[in-house]
Amino acid sequence: MQYKIEYKIIVSVTILFLHGCVKDLSESAQNFPIIIDTLQIDKNKFDTNDYGVSSSTILYIGGETDSIEVDHSIKDLMKPPPPPPPPTSYQQNDKEFKEDSIKYEEIWNKYSQNIKNRRETSYFVLSERIDDKKGFFDTIDLEIMVDTTQKLKHDISKNQWDDYYEGYPIQIKNTSSDTIVIGYESYIPIILQAKDENDDWNPIEQIYIFSCGNGLRSVLLPPNEIVLSSKPIYQGDYKTTLRVEIGGNYSNEFSGKINLDQFKKPNY
């Protein structure tokens, strides 16, 4: 009889303990929107020994919502317009040149109209037109959440577009009362950090650096609005704790695996 009572107590305590653990593990994702990624493309596991370059692009920007359909085409808004037709040679006649020019004008008009009609276009402003008083991501408190219960497709930019890997969604919210600059072109400069063998936080990637700043567009994030981005799910033999950082703001911590060589910064 005593054995049965002790057994029931142990079982009850175990159930309560497990219930508490489940609640804690899912707490970071409880306010995260449902992510819908309909892109039909093969994705790879990301296993690298290199110190990386951040490749976090904008997948959604706007007001908070219960569900978000991932839009991988937002980065295409930053692509340059199509080139004009090559100059005609003396052997080409005027008719050929006119036909090429008409085709180019049609392509250009279609490109311009697409940019103009996109809702996201209003969030992009030429950097030289930014007010000096406008806040930047490193001067404002931001709310950052990483949801490891959902996955999407993450595009690695250094290998050009459309090289997809499994990734975790990341939501960044502007909790201030001001519109801020949250990124440039289609990039959000969030950095993945990991705990090393000494239990110290260190980055395992660096911010993407543009080769030329002329004509660079800033990404504006109004108060209480969000931007959705992502980070690749790294593979490796070193199990550790990770988090995302931008401008001194940090996300929730989560478990993952990397390779120790990813801590080694290159010497430029």
Side-chain angles (χ1 to χ4, degrees), residues 164-191:
Y164 288 94
Y165 294 81
E166 280 190 337
Y168 288 137
I170 300 169
Q171 177 181 284
I172 304 171
K173 181 180 179 181
N174 177 8
T175 55
S176 75
S177 57
D178 299 315
T179 295
I180 64 169
V181 175
I182 194 66
Y184 303 97
E185 295 297 296
S186 59
Y187 290 95
I188 304 298
I190 49 179
I191 296 298

Side-chain angles (χ1 to χ4, degrees), residues 45-48 166 233-237 257-259 262:
K45 301 286 186 181
F46 196 29
D47 191 347
T48 181
E166 280 190 337
I233 302 173
Y234 286 99
Q235 308 295 311
D237 52 18
K257 290 182 178 181
I258 63 170
N259 291 308
Q262 289 179 249

